Amino acid sequence: MTSMNFIGLDIHKKTISYCVKDAAGAVLAEGTIPSTRQSLDDWIRTLHQPWTVAMEATMFTGWIYDHLLPHAAAVKVAHPLMLRAIAASKKKTDRIDASKIADCLRCNFLPECYMASTEIRERRRTLRYRKLLVRQNVQLRNKISHMLMESGVVYNKQKLHKVGYFKELMTTNPDIREGLRPLLTICRETIVRLGKTEGALVRSLARDPLLSDRVERLMTIPAVGPITALTWVLEIDDVARFGSVKQAISYCGLCAAERSSAEVVKRMPISKQRNKHLQSVLVEAAKLGPRLSPDLALVYEAEKQKGHANRATLAVARKLVAYLLAVDRSGREFVVAGEPRAAA
């Protein structure tokens, strides 16, 4: 029976360092190849089946994972923070890193992280691109305000970005000089264009057959709109990978880090090891939640009475995670506890 070969990859923008080992840890091959699909195909033909491969999670991992998956017995992706602690050494090179990853894989010590399907990752890229458009939109709005204040133009802050008021301001305000007018016009046109593009991206994702059913169910939860629902679906992917609500809350970055030694337990600030996209969306939804749901309002008030509004918002966000997880697991629409369900 042919023994399994174990391969560790250290991936960079232009090159991939590899190390091939057998079950006993003997090095069978090592080297460097260019980071191209053709080079990977040529390298795959030199490998003896069966083989399994592991790599660190980086921005380049996705396409390499997809390319190797049909050929390997298994393709695993390692959590970069966990792997850094295991592979720390005085001397660090690409060759040594690839060898360490191969050893972790061979000894079953690899801190494996979840890898979403190609379809989900492609749609997730679209949603994250939408976030970039929103950020640029806000920057341009702030730039318009900055240029007006810089020129001493008096304006209504609440109405500034409304189409009618902006046109009136541009045509009737004598303080807007000729040199400023084209810059304001360019900013306004770009804001409109970005808004249309952002809306089109959200609508295309919401109507996607792969996502639409889950998104519609999640939107039955108070304070959960299309952006929150889409972010949950695309960042979580398979909800079954969370065994409890606590695990989901930790993944979303809505709980404090803990440092414990002997009988001393210290609670630190919110951990930076989280899904930042989910965290920001859930916190924004939690700010609106108490206005839209009596149950969320009770959660907010109970925590706020302890004297900290930000902690109250986090408590609402954690409650939203519990709602999202329950609805996603059950495959049914949200119903407040105690209310009768409609017959199927």
Side-chain angles (χ1 to χ4, degrees), residues 10 56 79-93 96-104 109-111:
D10 190 61
E56 185 179 356
H79 193 293
L81 292 178
M82 302 293 186
L83 192 65
R84 189 178 299 123
I86 294 174
S89 60
K90 182 182 289 185
K91 187 176 181 182
K92 187 179 185 302
T93 64
I96 292 175
D97 287 351
S99 177
K100 292 282 188 180
I101 294 173
D103 283 333
C104 291
F109 287 154
L110 190 78

Side-chain angles (χ1 to χ4, degrees), residues 51-246:
W51 51 273
T52 181
V53 61
M55 65 196 83
E56 185 179 356
T58 67
M59 66 178 297
F60 313 108
T61 300
W63 73 268
I64 296 174
Y65 176 92
D66 294 336
H67 199 77
L68 296 178
L69 195 58
H71 307 282
V75 181
K76 298 186 178 181
V77 180
H79 193 293
L81 292 178
M82 302 293 186
L83 192 65
R84 189 178 299 123
I86 294 174
S89 60
K90 182 182 289 185
K91 187 176 181 182
K92 187 179 185 302
T93 64
D94 294 345
R95 181 180 63 82
I96 292 175
D97 287 351
S99 177
K100 292 282 188 180
I101 294 173
D103 283 333
C104 291
L105 178 64
R106 179 176 60 87
C107 300
N108 200 25
F109 287 154
L110 190 78
E112 189 175 357
C113 65
Y114 179 77
M115 196 69 179
S117 64
T118 306
E119 294 79 9
I120 290 294
R121 283 188 278 118
E122 288 176 350
R123 289 160 176 80
R124 181 191 295 168
R125 185 187 301 120
T126 301
L127 186 64
R128 291 181 180 180
Y129 183 77
R130 173 256 168 198
K131 190 174 182 179
L132 171 65
L133 298 182
V134 172
R135 189 183 304 118
Q136 291 176 340
N137 195 319
V138 172
Q139 289 174 346
L140 286 171
R141 287 169 182 262
N142 291 339
K143 186 61 178 177
I144 289 177
S145 300
H146 175 77
M147 288 190 294
L148 291 174
M149 288 187 290
E150 190 179 43
S151 303
V153 179
V154 178
Y155 62 92
N156 187 318
K157 183 179 179 180
Q158 283 72 33
K159 296 182 179 181
L160 177 60
H161 300 294
K162 294 183 177 180
V163 178
Y165 179 80
F166 186 82
K167 288 182 178 180
E168 181 183 353
L169 185 71
M170 290 285 286
T171 55
T172 61
N173 196 305
D175 295 329
I176 299 179
R177 305 292 181 87
E178 290 302 320
L180 179 61
R181 199 178 303 277
L183 297 178
L184 293 173
T185 302
I186 291 172
C187 286
R188 181 61 199 173
E189 291 175 351
T190 307
I191 287 171
V192 173
R193 185 164 59 251
L194 289 173
K196 291 180 179 179
T197 306
E198 184 261 337
L201 291 178
V202 173
R203 287 191 296 272
S204 67
L205 288 173
R207 291 195 296 261
D208 193 303
L210 185 65
L211 312 175
S212 58
D213 290 342
R214 285 180 70 186
V215 169
E216 288 177 6
R217 283 196 301 270
L218 294 173
M219 285 177 61
T220 60
I221 301 171
V224 174
I227 301 302
T228 305
L230 283 169
T231 304
W232 174 268
V233 170
L234 293 175
E235 298 294 340
I236 294 294
D237 189 20
D238 185 7
V239 73
R241 64 193 179 104
F242 295 106
S244 66
V245 176
K246 288 184 177 180

Side-chain angles (χ1 to χ4, degrees), residues 28-47:
L28 303 179
E30 59 182 355
T32 303
I33 58 174
S35 297
T36 63
R37 287 179 171 83
Q38 183 60 51
S39 298
L40 278 174
D41 288 335
D42 296 339
W43 174 69
I44 288 170
R45 284 192 285 270
T46 67
L47 300 175

